[in-house]
Amino acid sequence: MTVWLDGTHGAGKTTTSALVQQLIPDSRVFDAEKVGETLMDITPGLPATDNFQHWPPWRPLVIETARRVLDYTGGTLVMPMTVLVERYWREISSGLAQHDIPVRHFVLHADQDTLRARIAGDTVLGPNSPFRLQYLEPYAEAARAPDTGSDLVSVGDGLEAVHEHAELTRWSPARQGEARLYRRSAARSVRLQ
């Protein structure tokens, strides 16, 4: 099984993935960005793009890597990765489904002020990363779109531990058939540290 944590930069995917991994027995975090970084290291470089997700090999490599890791280890992969292009998400999710890998897709959401504050204080990419900032409006537009079947988890200020939200403990493979935690049409807020 995969628990895919989506949402724009600053929404809390990396922090949340580490917390969720602690809640799910026999789980591992697999950041699909590492696949993109591998493609960026090819020399001479692949055709120029502003995002490695646009390279056609990225999506099947993410699927194949997840499949191979799960075949080897079993358990659950927690995958923090922003995917704003609906066609790319369909390609990934249907590719995983073809390998009988269930996907629980959660979209972490934070208001624009919270996102901008987090990006301004980012110590990894540096403050006010142009790359991160350029995705705020496309993310806001995607978040306003009709329900896509993803769960929507709102992330606010004054963050509290994710494990305090009892439903998250139900993400184990034994409970994967349960109803989703959140629907876009009836989202509630969960505060994450």
Side-chain angles (χ1 to χ4, degrees):
M1 178 170 92
T2 62
V3 174
W4 194 288
L5 301 177
D6 207 329
T8 196
H9 308 289
K13 297 181 303 297
T14 301
T15 299
T16 303
S17 65
L19 295 170
V20 169
Q21 187 273 325
Q22 294 173 25
L23 295 173
I24 303 174
D26 196 26
S27 65
R28 291 165 176 75
V29 174
F30 165 41
D31 189 342
E33 185 171 325
K34 301 301 182 190
V35 174
E37 290 173 3
T38 298
L39 293 174
M40 291 189 309
D41 286 342
I42 293 173
T43 54
L46 298 177
T49 182
D50 65 343
N51 190 320
F52 58 70
Q53 291 185 17
H54 299 317
W55 286 325
W58 180 76
R59 297 171 305 278
L61 285 171
V62 167
I63 296 163
E64 187 64 14
T65 303
R67 179 180 82 86
R68 295 289 181 161
V69 169
L70 288 170
D71 284 351
Y72 179 61
T73 64
T76 299
L77 288 181
V78 179
M79 299 180 65
M81 187 73 220
T82 302
V83 181
L84 282 175
V85 178
E86 181 66 25
R87 179 173 55 90
Y88 296 173
W89 174 247
R90 284 194 307 266
E91 185 178 338
I92 291 167
S93 59
S94 64
L96 293 169
Q98 288 174 355
H99 294 292
D100 297 321
I101 300 170
V103 178
R104 297 292 305 270
H105 185 206
F106 292 84
V107 179
L108 304 184
H109 175 72
D111 62 71
Q112 291 286 312
D113 291 339
T114 300
L115 292 170
R116 288 184 185 283
R118 290 180 183 173
I119 292 169
D122 187 342
T123 59
V124 177
L125 291 179
N128 295 313
S129 159
F131 177 81
R132 290 179 136 199
L133 289 170
Q134 79 180 1
Y135 286 99
L136 289 181
E137 186 50 40
Y139 167 76
E141 184 178 321
R144 290 188 294 267
D147 184 5
T148 62
S150 297
D151 301 313
L152 177 66
V153 180
S154 293
V155 182
D157 298 315
L159 306 168
E160 59 192 51
V162 69
H163 66 274
E164 291 177 9
H165 188 63
E167 286 93 343
L168 293 180
T169 62
R170 296 184 188 155
W171 284 0
S172 67
R175 311 275 310 249
Q176 64 186 321
E178 288 190 7
R180 294 183 181 275
L181 301 179
Y182 300 94
R183 305 296 302 171
R184 282 183 187 262
S185 59
R188 293 178 290 171
S189 292
V190 176
R191 297 187 181 275
L192 306 171
Q193 67 181 4

